[in-house]
Amino acid sequence: AWVLFSSTIEKKKLIMLSFVSFATGISCYCLLPFLDSMYPHAGSWGNVKTVSGFFHHFLRKDYGTMQLWSGGGGKATEDMITRTFSWVTDFTLHQLCHPTLLLFLVLGCTSVCSTKKRIKRNAMSRKMDHSGIATGRVIIASLTFYFIVFHSLSNLPLSNPLLYGVHQRFWMHPNILCFILIGVGFNTAAKVLPTTIAARIMPIFMVAIPLLTYGRNFEASDQSENQVFRGYASSILETLPPKSLLLINYDMTFTSVRYMQECEGFRDDVQTINLSMMTYPWFQEKQQLHQGLNFPGSHYTRGNTVAWLNGGFTFAEFIDANPDYNIYIAGRLSHDDPAFVERYEEKPHGLVRHITRRSDTIEPTEVY
């Protein structure tokens, strides 16, 4: 609304500019079908070669459109107010070099929302002042919209430190807007001071604040010497026999192992499959990328279900279909599988487990 009714630029040009900017922002998605067709790769998410598959991927339907998580927490996690207060705490204690900068944030919000008339000497000054106020109000409206919509739809449980960190990444957007409003607050405060004093003090503040923030957060943010995930993935891969199959059901494990194989070429003879990916119907289109493996159906699912009757396969059926492979697993199965428990066992092998056939058949309940 502000773009269409408050700007001094010709509206037709502005609408076109807005459309081009929006199209440019999402243009990276348009490359997905092309890249998936020209450079198919095992481990890539979704089937984007078809129109329905592309929009399924674009709308994040595997996780839930307009949600962050498909886990069991669902909507039974923190409410919008709790999440907003969590942002306030994080912004105050970790993003600002000192909590007193909140005063300038409040001052900036008050300045752009003020209805007090400003006396300007010429039309150009009045026009620039009006544009600045309108922009500031749009920023505040965007912040309000963000907190209400995002914190209402986000369903990641903040009680989990790992998932809290995932949620925390999305706070970069409101943080940027708040930093702009803090700058407006500094500008407002500078106008109260004599010109000569403001000209000397404000540059010092502008240099000191980023340096203080840098000094305060550098130690925690400096990961240049962090080799934890590289060592973790290497420790998994280097113990596996040649041409093994590694099944992974945890993001941290899969992404670190995939990095070592794809980026550093380390143990790329080992085939790796993400079990979570194997549970989606679109995985049928990915099966051909795993050469030498036999898939007894379209995708991995629970036995005796509609999906299983419609062509899915259980974990035990997948293991049965590949008897010549050394198969290892990191993480848990996606579904309970009594047949797998009856016929196979998992023996510890370094940081993973080796799946082997049991010598004597036992009842599934005996392993518990």
Side-chain angles (χ1 to χ4, degrees), residues 132-144:
I133 294 172
T135 303
R137 291 176 180 176
V138 168
I139 290 176
I140 293 177
S142 300
L143 273 173
T144 304

Side-chain angles (χ1 to χ4, degrees), residues 12 14 53 90 95 114-115 120 142 161 164 178 202 217 221 223 230 243 245 252 255 263 276 287 294 327 336-337 347:
K12 290 184 178 180
L14 191 58
D90 177 79
Q95 307 304 322
S114 175
T115 57
K120 295 295 180 181
S142 300
Y164 178 90
C178 286
M202 297 312 294
N217 298 305
S221 302
Q223 301 296 317
R230 188 179 190 279
K243 301 187 181 302
L245 172 61
M252 180 183 70
T255 51
C263 299
S276 295
Q287 293 179 8
N294 298 314
I327 303 178
D336 294 332
D337 193 337
K347 296 181 179 180

Side-chain angles (χ1 to χ4, degrees), residues 93-333:
L93 299 181
H94 302 293
Q95 307 304 322
L96 300 178
C97 64
H98 197 278
T100 55
L101 289 178
L102 284 178
L103 297 176
F104 292 96
L105 175 60
V106 174
L107 184 59
C109 293
T110 304
S111 176
V112 298
C113 291
S114 175
T115 57
K116 182 179 178 181
K117 292 185 178 180
R118 294 162 170 81
I119 301 175
K120 295 295 180 181
R121 290 174 293 183
N122 53 62
M124 181 60 70
S125 297
R126 287 194 299 270
K127 186 183 295 185
M128 293 178 62
D129 189 61
H130 171 75
S131 178
I133 294 172
T135 303
R137 291 176 180 176
V138 168
I139 290 176
I140 293 177
S142 300
L143 273 173
T144 304
F145 179 83
Y146 181 92
F147 288 135
I148 293 176
V149 175
F150 176 72
H151 284 164
S152 296
L153 295 176
S154 175
N155 59 340
L156 286 169
L158 301 185
S159 57
N160 184 309
L162 175 63
L163 299 180
Y164 178 90
V166 174
H167 181 96
Q168 191 180 32
R169 299 178 203 160
F170 292 87
W171 286 339
M172 290 188 289
H173 307 292
N175 289 351
I176 292 174
L177 298 180
C178 286
F179 294 145
I180 294 173
L181 291 172
I182 289 175
V184 174
F186 271 107
N187 181 64
T188 303
K191 292 179 180 179
V192 179
L193 301 174
T195 305
T196 54
I197 297 178
R200 295 177 181 177
I201 295 180
M202 297 312 294
I204 297 176
F205 274 102
M206 295 300 100
V207 174
I209 290 175
L211 290 177
L212 289 173
T213 304
Y214 175 83
R216 181 181 182 182
N217 298 305
F218 177 78
E219 185 175 354
S221 302
D222 180 22
Q223 301 296 317
S224 59
E225 301 299 327
N226 190 336
Q227 300 290 326
V228 172
F229 288 106
R230 188 179 190 279
Y232 173 61
S234 298
S235 298
I236 292 176
L237 292 170
E238 64 188 5
T239 65
L240 302 181
K243 301 187 181 302
S244 299
L245 172 61
L246 176 61
L247 305 173
I248 303 175
N249 206 12
Y250 195 59
D251 286 347
M252 180 183 70
T253 308
F254 181 69
T255 51
S256 57
V257 167
R258 193 178 183 210
Y259 164 79
M260 290 298 297
Q261 291 185 310
E262 299 294 336
C263 299
E264 300 197 13
F266 181 73
R267 291 305 310 273
D268 52 8
D269 63 296
V270 176
Q271 286 206 62
T272 57
I273 299 180
N274 188 314
L275 282 180
S276 295
M277 291 186 182
M278 201 158 66
T279 61
Y280 294 101
W282 49 256
F283 183 78
Q284 185 174 12
E285 304 299 326
K286 304 289 185 180
Q287 293 179 8
Q288 59 184 346
L289 300 177
H290 299 279
Q291 298 180 359
L293 292 179
N294 298 314
F295 294 92
S298 58
H299 64 290
Y300 167 37
T301 187
R302 191 188 302 273
N304 298 319
T305 60
V306 173
W308 181 72
L309 292 173
N310 289 336
F313 58 86
T314 65
F315 191 74
E317 291 171 341
F318 174 72
I319 302 299
D320 290 341
N322 295 277
D324 298 330
Y325 270 87
N326 276 314
I327 303 178
Y328 299 82
I329 184 171
R332 299 181 178 181
L333 300 186

